[in-house]
Amino acid sequence: MADRDFDAQLSRLFADPPAFPDAEAFHARVESRLDRGWTLRRLAIGAAGGVAGLFAVVQLITSRFATDLRHASSEGVSGVDLGVDKLMAQVNQFVATPASVETLWLGAALAAIALTFAVTRLVEEF
């Protein structure tokens, strides 16, 4: 059976780490190394994500993703299709894009998601 006094003394010794005279300098050195490149990394990652998102949206718009999806479904509501086609004709008068209304909504949803992530990131920073 172990001696309880010895166990208590041993646990007290290991509970308190020894103090070194350069502990504050070491801590400051480690913190400066960790914080050194985070601003540049955040900007680079954000810019890369923005460029990748822009490429993804452009690819979806030019590939006529929504039109292909509509053709892939076997049954569509013809009244809604006529309304979408009329609306798309009006949109094409103002914006010269080979996109459908669904693709524009998809782009708006992606922009909303990106804005939500940006706001979340700002809230975490403060």
Side-chain angles (χ1 to χ4, degrees):
M1 191 154 128
D3 184 20
R4 290 182 188 211
D5 291 333
F6 176 75
D7 286 342
Q9 183 183 11
L10 189 62
S11 64
R12 276 194 308 270
L13 287 173
F14 282 104
D16 297 326
F20 293 106
D22 64 342
E24 290 299 321
F26 176 75
H27 182 268
R29 225 177 24 237
V30 169
E31 285 292 323
S32 69
R33 285 183 184 170
L34 289 175
D35 291 337
R36 184 171 35 204
W38 278 109
T39 304
L40 181 62
R41 287 181 196 138
R42 285 180 187 155
L43 290 175
I45 290 170
V51 169
L54 184 64
F55 279 127
V57 169
V58 168
Q59 288 295 321
L60 282 174
I61 288 173
T62 58
S63 70
R64 297 174 138 315
F65 174 75
T67 304
D68 292 342
L69 187 63
R70 196 174 354 158
H71 289 303
S73 65
S74 61
E75 295 179 10
V77 179
S78 61
V80 174
D81 286 341
L82 289 175
V84 167
D85 290 339
K86 287 180 184 177
L87 186 61
M88 194 59 216
Q90 291 176 354
V91 168
N92 282 336
Q93 288 176 355
F94 298 110
V95 179
T97 178
S100 64
V101 174
E102 292 89 357
T103 307
L104 294 176
W105 278 111
L106 182 64
L110 288 173
I113 290 170
L115 181 64
T116 303
F117 282 133
V119 168
T120 304
R121 185 67 179 187
L122 284 174
V123 168
E124 285 179 0
E125 290 294 321
F126 297 110

